[in-house]
Amino acid sequence: MSGQLGHSGAARVGIGGPVGSGKTRLLEQIIPRFIQRGTNIAVITNDLVTHEDAIRVRRSGLIAPERVLAVETGACPHSAIREDPTLNIQAADLLEERFGPLDLILIESGGDNLASSFSLDLVDFWLFVIDVAGGDDIPRKRGLGVMQCDLLVINKTDLAPYVGVDLARMEQEARQVRNGRAMLMTNCATGNGVDQIVDLIAREVLFED
Amino acid sequence: MITITHILGNARDHAISQALNHIEHDGRLETIVLDQQDTQRHRLRVNTDLGNEVAIALSRNEHLENGSVLLLESNRAIVVRLTLSQWLVFETRDIAAALELGYFAGNMHWKVRFDGVRLQVAVIGDPTGYLERLDHLIAEQKVIHVE
């Protein structure tokens, strides 16, 4: 007797990080890659008082607009992905009901700072995106997101020379505070490094090799 | 790789317990060691203590716990074992310091439990980071790190 039945629901993956770090751009890079792999996906975006990110993803033409739901948190965005993720759980359930069986639901949470994190009741795996232009001291600040996420993404690597950031040192310090946990460098404007993120998600929660 | 989408029961269950005893005797009982935090996940890729890869993909209403049985065959079983959670224990100098510590722990979103006059903080990862965060309160002797 083994615990093997049918489809158990879509994998749910969180994408968090500070405002302007490139979360939505990362989404726009990830979506076509998963679609090309044949992954059946849907997306949830979280915004404070608008549907800005959802509208942007719907208009991108990368995914059927009805597969993108917006959660308007109204106040502290941390609460909607951590303390009380009910709104996001309901949105994910709704997407599974409408488009299931889905393989993957990507849940982006905008407007968060370094202290945000995802409840594992909501997601199975979560990324935290920071960017070079935000300052090379971000890893040293040991924010909850940087420390606890399953994958730390350092984005906008191309901007390092323009903002006086020592990229090698930033990477080294990030690896140090992460203590061996996963970390990747990206330039989401060009897609550099995004394939590795997709491969890691596919391996860890879609169980592809 | 074995894919598991359903928890069969718990090693404490009488019928399962008897079957596991036989399998363990033959050395075919495999364990998956998880920390408390990972039991909240519904999808994860792990290895058993014998090095076999297991993909766990549970429905949202199923939850891993200590003793969850994922595979039970006549000569082989896979069971989840939880590592013990680490807790940092603190006392405070007075009520004002207790309020300050409580506020701080809440603001950090730490998981805590109360033990009389002591506050216990669940450690995820390296405990050093927690003590560094409390350094200002410990240095002023408002908070005492007991253990």
Side-chain angles (χ1 to χ4, degrees):
Chain A
M1 184 167 51
S2 76
Q4 293 170 292
L5 295 173
H7 188 72
S8 57
R12 298 179 183 183
V13 171
I15 302 175
V19 174
S21 60
K23 299 180 295 298
T24 310
R25 192 74 188 98
L26 176 61
L27 254 186
E28 291 168 343
Q29 291 283 359
I30 285 177
I31 289 168
R33 285 169 168 81
F34 273 116
I35 290 175
Q36 194 173 14
R37 293 169 85 118
T39 308
N40 192 5
I41 66 170
V43 174
I44 298 169
T45 66
N46 284 246
D47 268 313
L48 270 179
V49 287
T50 65
H51 291 184
E52 193 77 26
D53 286 345
I55 292 167
R56 173 172 158 181
V57 177
R58 283 178 191 139
R59 284 180 178 164
S60 69
L62 299 169
I63 185 171
E66 61 273 19
R67 285 177 177 250
V68 182
L69 285 187
V71 168
E72 194 172 311
T73 60
C76 174
H78 302 189
S79 302
I81 58 167
R82 183 171 53 204
E83 282 81 6
D84 182 4
T86 309
L87 287 174
N88 275 291
I89 290 172
Q90 284 177 338
D93 290 346
L94 186 63
L95 285 168
E96 294 215 48
E97 193 182 306
R98 284 183 185 164
F99 305 106
L102 289 169
D103 299 314
L104 176 64
I105 299 175
L106 298 168
I107 304 173
E108 184 216 11
S109 173
D112 300 336
N113 62 31
L114 297 181
S116 69
S117 61
F118 278 87
S119 163
L120 292 176
D121 285 330
L122 173 64
V123 298
D124 305 301
F125 186 90
W126 60 285
L127 290 61
F128 196 76
V129 185
I130 60 175
D131 76 285
V132 168
D136 58 5
D137 57 344
I138 293 180
R140 288 202 302 274
K141 292 182 177 177
R142 294 171 180 261
L144 206 58
V146 171
M147 302 289 286
Q148 291 190 359
C149 65
D150 295 303
L151 170 63
L152 177 68
V153 177
I154 299 181
N155 190 28
K156 304 185 187 178
T157 50
D158 56 314
L159 297 185
Y162 307 107
V163 291
V165 162
D166 181 341
L167 195 58
R169 193 180 72 182
M170 188 176 183
E171 181 179 3
Q172 185 194 6
E173 289 178 349
R175 290 197 188 284
Q176 203 171 3
V177 301
R178 294 279 293 160
N179 200 20
R181 302 187 73 196
M183 197 197 89
L184 289 169
M185 315 285 279
T186 58
N187 174 0
C188 288
T190 61
N192 193 28
V194 177
D195 285 344
Q196 291 167 275
I197 294 177
V198 170
D199 286 344
L200 187 66
I201 292 171
R203 183 182 188 284
E204 292 301 317
V205 293
L206 301 177
F207 311 129
E208 296 172 12
D209 281 314
Chain B
M1 183 165 60
I2 307 165
T3 301
I4 300 294
T5 57
H6 178 58
I7 298 170
L8 299 171
N10 195 286
R12 293 188 304 269
D13 301 343
H14 182 65
I16 291 179
S17 168
Q18 286 187 317
L20 289 178
N21 280 340
H22 290 297
I23 295 166
E24 189 170 18
H25 187 260
D26 295 335
R28 293 292 294 159
L29 176 64
E30 296 181 56
T31 56
I32 292 170
V33 179
L34 297 178
D35 61 32
Q36 187 72 43
Q37 200 186 14
D38 279 336
T39 61
Q40 295 173 49
R41 297 180 198 265
H42 293 86
R43 275 181 176 256
L44 66 168
R45 186 173 180 144
V46 287
N47 286 314
T48 69
D49 59 338
L50 296 184
N52 292 312
E53 206 164 23
V54 179
I56 301 174
L58 302 174
S59 63
R60 297 282 149 188
N61 57 6
E62 286 197 276
H63 299 277
L64 293 166
E65 60 178 0
N66 192 36
S68 290
V69 177
L70 307 181
L71 179 80
L72 186 60
E73 295 172 341
S74 58
N75 60 352
R76 186 187 181 196
I78 298 177
V79 178
V80 170
R81 297 280 179 228
L82 252 66
T83 55
L84 286 176
S85 299
Q86 185 185 357
W87 296 84
L88 292 172
V89 181
F90 299 100
E91 284 182 0
T92 56
R93 186 176 64 192
D94 49 31
I95 291 172
L99 287 170
E100 200 169 349
L101 175 62
Y103 171 81
F104 192 85
N107 198 32
M108 293 299 296
H109 302 281
W110 289 341
K111 182 181 176 186
V112 300
R113 65 186 183 193
F114 302 101
D115 177 22
V117 295
R118 292 177 170 180
L119 184 79
Q120 300 185 1
V121 176
V123 175
I124 298 170
D126 183 6
T128 315
Y130 292 78
L131 296 173
E132 282 175 359
R133 296 285 183 181
L134 288 169
D135 193 41
H136 63 294
L137 295 175
I138 293 172
E140 291 178 35
Q141 296 184 317
K142 289 180 173 177
V143 170
I144 300 107
H145 174 211
V146 179
E147 59 185 83

